[in-house]
Amino acid sequence: MSKINELWNKEKLPTKDGIYFANGESFSFLAEFYPYVFIKKGESFNLVDFLNKNPDCITTIDIFQKIKIQMGGTCLLGEGSHGSEGFIAYISSDEKLNWVIYFEESNPFINAIELPDKFLEVESSANYRIILDLKNPINIVSIKGIEM
């Protein structure tokens, strides 16, 4: 079992901006959320090594929303224990983790709408939206900025 699966099963996530796949692959994200939203894929990294060097970089999660996806599975949205955190997870129909995206400063993710061609638009409580491809979530397709 991969480290991210182990954490997920305990309702915990690492506090490092990135995407974590159930097979153990992890990629960092360079993410800024104020005053403008900017997200860029970073390098792959070893989650076990990261947590060995940073054992306190763990947060407890709360799931706010569960959205059934037409192609199968469920999107889970929520926050971490520090309040400024947010995550987007995609689980299979048998409730096993496929992947989870975590941001330390995004604010909680509160809603999602499935779009055509297996895309998902996810809304943060900070009033911006991220569109991602459910089949290839490492590539954030677009970001709709904060509307003030």
Side-chain angles (χ1 to χ4, degrees):
M1 176 183 294
S2 69
K3 186 65 174 177
I4 195 63
N5 278 309
E6 183 183 314
L7 291 170
W8 181 258
N9 291 339
K10 295 177 183 175
E11 298 181 351
K12 296 182 183 295
L13 287 175
T15 54
K16 179 175 174 68
D17 291 348
I19 183 165
Y20 303 88
F21 291 93
N23 67 5
E25 283 186 294
S26 302
F27 294 88
S28 65
F29 279 133
L30 171 62
E32 295 178 23
F33 295 95
Y34 186 81
Y36 303 101
V37 181
F38 172 81
I39 301 170
K40 181 181 175 188
K41 177 187 163 238
E43 301 294 319
S44 67
F45 69 96
N46 184 301
L47 178 57
V48 174
D49 289 348
F50 171 76
L51 290 174
N52 284 340
K53 293 175 188 165
N54 305 282
D56 295 332
C57 287
I58 299 282
T59 190
T60 303
I61 59 168
D62 289 316
I63 297 168
F64 290 165
Q65 189 76 263
K66 295 180 180 183
I67 296 148
K68 290 281 185 197
I69 303 298
Q70 287 182 2
M71 70 178 202
T74 304
C75 175
L76 305 176
L77 307 171
E79 73 174 348
S81 55
H82 303 294
S84 63
E85 305 161 291
F87 73 88
I88 307 159
Y90 182 55
I91 61 171
S92 61
S93 54
D94 61 353
E95 300 198 358
K96 299 216 182 309
L97 181 69
N98 287 323
W99 51 261
V100 59
I101 296 173
Y102 167 89
F103 294 113
E104 194 170 358
E105 299 292 331
S106 65
N107 285 310
F109 291 100
I110 57 171
N111 199 15
I113 299 168
E114 190 173 1
L115 302 174
D117 300 322
K118 299 179 177 57
F119 286 91
L120 188 70
E121 182 175 307
V122 183
E123 180 183 358
S124 167
S125 64
N127 202 27
Y128 65 86
R129 292 169 175 80
I130 297 171
I131 298 175
L132 53 92
D133 183 341
L134 286 167
K135 295 182 305 183
N136 190 14
I138 198 161
N139 296 319
I140 304 291
V141 177
S142 80
I143 301 164
K144 297 179 181 179
I146 298 172
E147 300 166 9
M148 296 279 184

